Amino acid sequence: MKKLLIATITFLISAAPFAEAQNRSRIDAERTAYFTRRLNLTVEEAERFWPVYNDYSSRRDKLNQDKNSLLRYVNQNYQNLSREELTEAGDKVIELGRQEAELAEEYHTRFMEVLPPGKVVLLYGAEMQFKTFLLNQLQQRREQASPAGRSGVR
């Protein structure tokens, strides 16, 4: 289930670049409200936290975009890639995962500098909960947009 969630989120992040700017600002606003509420951030905490989190988020998103681009390329060209090229692609995916882990470790330290430890731990849970929230919203929109969803027939 977690792999499906991650794959779906990864797809959502990379699926529609033309709509991303509009949706991104709405998602960012929802995330800000959700995290602020969930972490019970004070004004002072929020002022220190959001610049750090936004930097972390944009750097993590860049790594995910790089990985998604690579995997899309491999999927589209799989039959034409040599064993060496496939090995290099696999190694790059692992390297990007390592970089993401290092980024998480670096920002864990930075989060601990701007928030109490309990709120840092709540942040990690809030990230997962927010992703689930977004997926649920997407599913509801799809159900409402489909003819079966509108008529109540499944």
Side-chain angles (χ1 to χ4, degrees), residues 5-134:
L5 177 64
I6 291 168
T8 304
I9 291 168
T10 301
F11 172 76
L12 292 175
I13 290 171
S14 63
F18 58 90
E20 186 174 335
Q22 181 182 18
N23 288 335
R24 184 68 178 192
S25 62
R26 186 177 50 83
I27 290 170
D28 286 346
E30 286 186 40
R31 178 186 300 127
T32 299
Y34 188 90
F35 284 16
T36 300
R37 214 175 30 254
R38 180 73 176 101
L39 302 178
N40 196 26
L41 295 176
T42 66
V43 172
E44 296 81 17
E45 288 171 337
E47 288 173 353
R48 292 188 318 258
F49 168 73
W50 284 111
V52 175
Y53 184 83
N54 290 337
D55 186 50
Y56 167 68
S57 182
S58 68
R59 290 177 64 188
R60 183 185 57 196
D61 288 351
K62 173 69 171 108
L63 289 171
N64 283 326
Q65 288 171 357
D66 291 350
K67 184 169 47 175
N68 290 338
S69 293
L70 175 61
L71 292 173
R72 229 182 347 268
Y73 173 79
V74 169
N75 284 332
Q76 291 170 353
N77 298 289
Y78 180 78
Q79 298 297 326
N80 301 321
L81 296 175
S82 70
R83 181 180 178 95
E84 182 179 310
E85 289 170 318
L86 291 168
T87 299
E88 287 175 12
D91 291 348
K92 182 65 176 175
V93 169
I94 297 303
E95 172 60 21
L96 289 167
R98 186 190 61 73
Q99 289 177 19
E100 187 175 2
E102 287 178 356
L103 184 70
E105 186 175 357
E106 173 189 341
Y107 276 84
H108 174 72
T109 300
R110 293 186 65 190
F111 293 145
M112 294 292 282
E113 293 170 355
V114 298
L115 292 177
K119 289 187 179 185
V120 172
V121 174
L122 287 176
L123 166 65
Y124 301 143
E127 287 184 311
M128 293 297 291
Q129 293 164 354
F130 186 71
K131 289 173 188 176
T132 302
F133 167 76
L134 289 178

